[in-house]
Amino acid sequence: MAAEDKTPPAAPAAADAPASVVDAPAAADAPAPAAGKKGAAAAGKKGAAGRKAAAGKKGAAGKKGAAAAGKAADVDHDVTFDAADSGAAKTYPKQCSALRKGEFVVIKGRPCKIIDMSTSKTGKHGHAKVNLVATDIFTGRKYEDISPSTHNVDVPNVSRIEYMLMGVDGQDDPFVHYAPIDVSGDGGSIRAPSEEMRAKLEKLLNGDLPVGITILSAMGEEALIECRTMNPETTK
């Protein structure tokens, strides 16, 4: 009879026990996500700080640019201001009903002298009309215009200045040269308005008496309109 095997049974396999030991390190890795969040948070703060710094720099740069643009605008304004015309106005306004025959008025952009005018009766719109007939003070051309009596019209600033005749050029270059009667003025040259006037001036200049001329100026134009002999006493 075979001997009974009394070897104690094998203990449950402990090979699986270390499994919990093997898995334990996984628990140790658990805090890693927290570190990742902190890193992300730090990175986020750095990114925000970077964005703020960049925005600040851009804002500062923008302010500097705006200031520079403002200065440039001031410079341009100064240039424009310096380049502005500071001379007297060429015209001034006047109520049409206040005009009189022999006075000046602007018609169709030209300086004219009124040679005739009349006023019509008040119409259905409540305004009397003024009929103007005038001639261009430089060309002699006739103009007509109608304006309500209560409206303003432009009147040219017209000046008449007398000078002493100094010389007359020939027919091919009919310029007249003049000097101020007193020492405070300026002389110059102007074209004779016609051959008839040039010849008359030349004849007077060859005489014994000094010759005076009158120059009319208005709206940026000028013309020699008169000549006459002068008393020698007035030229001293």
Side-chain angles (χ1 to χ4, degrees), residues 6 19 35 51 55 66 86 109 114 120 126 128 165 168-169 172-173 177-178 196 208 211 213:
K6 295 183 179 183
R51 286 192 294 272
S86 59
I114 301 172
S120 62
L165 180 64
V168 180
D169 293 338
D172 296 336
D173 190 25
H177 309 286
Y178 57 88
E196 181 182 358
D208 297 330
V211 180
I213 62 173

Side-chain angles (χ1 to χ4, degrees), residues 164 181 208-212 228-236:
M164 183 185 298
I181 294 177
D208 297 330
L209 296 175
V211 180
R228 62 182 178 83
T229 55
M230 301 174 64
N231 184 341
E233 296 296 326
T234 64
T235 62
K236 293 181 180 179

Side-chain angles (χ1 to χ4, degrees), residues 70-96:
K71 290 181 180 179
D74 290 342
V75 171
D76 290 341
H77 180 71
D78 291 340
V79 170
T80 303
F81 181 80
D82 292 339
D85 184 12
S86 59
K90 294 180 180 180
T91 63
Y92 63 92
K94 187 174 184 177
Q95 188 166 306
C96 190

Side-chain angles (χ1 to χ4, degrees), residues 15 29 31 38-39 67 89-90 107 113-114 131 134 151-152 181 204:
D29 293 338
K38 290 180 180 179
K90 294 180 180 180
I107 299 180
K113 186 175 183 178
I114 301 172
N131 302 294
H151 286 194
N152 283 343
I181 294 177
L204 289 174

